[in-house]
Amino acid sequence: MLHVIASDARRGAEVFAVALAASLQDELPGVVVALQKGHGDSWLDVPTLGDTWWTLSTLRGLRQRMKEASVVVAHGSATLPAVVCAGVGLPVPRIYTSIGDPWFWSRTWRRRLQTTLLLRQIDLVTVL
């Protein structure tokens, strides 16, 4: 199982993903990776894939990790477009964990359309 977080910063979705991966370790062994380095003064001990989530090298690294996974769980924020883009054509099931209210970050019709199109590429959505 691959858990994908936006950054290695110690924030809500990121801390939740690390705790979830640890609690599932006996039944569903997995790894947590961050798309990019976080800002702030407290970080999680997880590998990062790049400087920013949208670079080709970051997405290539994510795709390689996704190829090795039985399930991919994207935990909020930038993980949705990253997992969808990196996973094009891969048969691995993808789960998106929504943190917060999606209408807050999709207020315009363009953002709602983008979010809808991305969510349609996901196999299962969970909400916290």
Side-chain angles (χ1 to χ4, degrees):
M1 179 175 274
L2 175 65
H3 295 268
V4 182
I5 57 179
S7 77
D8 64 353
R10 189 174 294 277
R11 299 189 59 215
E14 290 79 2
V15 170
F16 175 80
V18 170
L20 179 62
S23 69
L24 292 175
Q25 200 61 34
D26 289 340
E27 281 107 39
L28 295 167
V31 64
V32 179
V33 297
L35 296 174
Q36 63 190 25
K37 292 297 271 174
H39 303 286
D41 56 1
S42 183
W43 298 274
L44 298 166
D45 185 23
V46 297
T48 56
L49 300 175
D51 294 327
T52 56
W53 75 263
W54 63 84
T55 62
L56 191 55
S57 61
T58 301
L59 293 175
R60 250 191 261 128
L62 177 57
R63 184 174 179 84
Q64 188 58 42
R65 296 286 184 118
M66 290 176 72
K67 286 179 181 179
E68 300 164 0
S70 58
V71 176
V72 176
V73 183
H75 293 271
S77 185
T79 63
L80 176 61
V83 164
V84 168
C85 291
V88 169
L90 294 180
V92 62
R94 295 170 291 183
I95 300 170
Y96 176 66
T97 301
S98 177
I99 310 297
D101 183 0
W103 291 113
F104 178 77
W105 42 267
S106 359
R107 290 185 181 189
T108 67
W109 69 268
R110 183 175 292 158
R111 295 292 299 266
R112 279 193 297 279
L113 177 62
Q114 175 186 6
T115 301
T116 299
L117 293 174
L118 289 170
L119 287 173
R120 286 186 178 166
Q121 303 306 309
I122 297 296
D123 298 293
L124 179 68
V125 176
T126 63
V127 180
L128 297 180

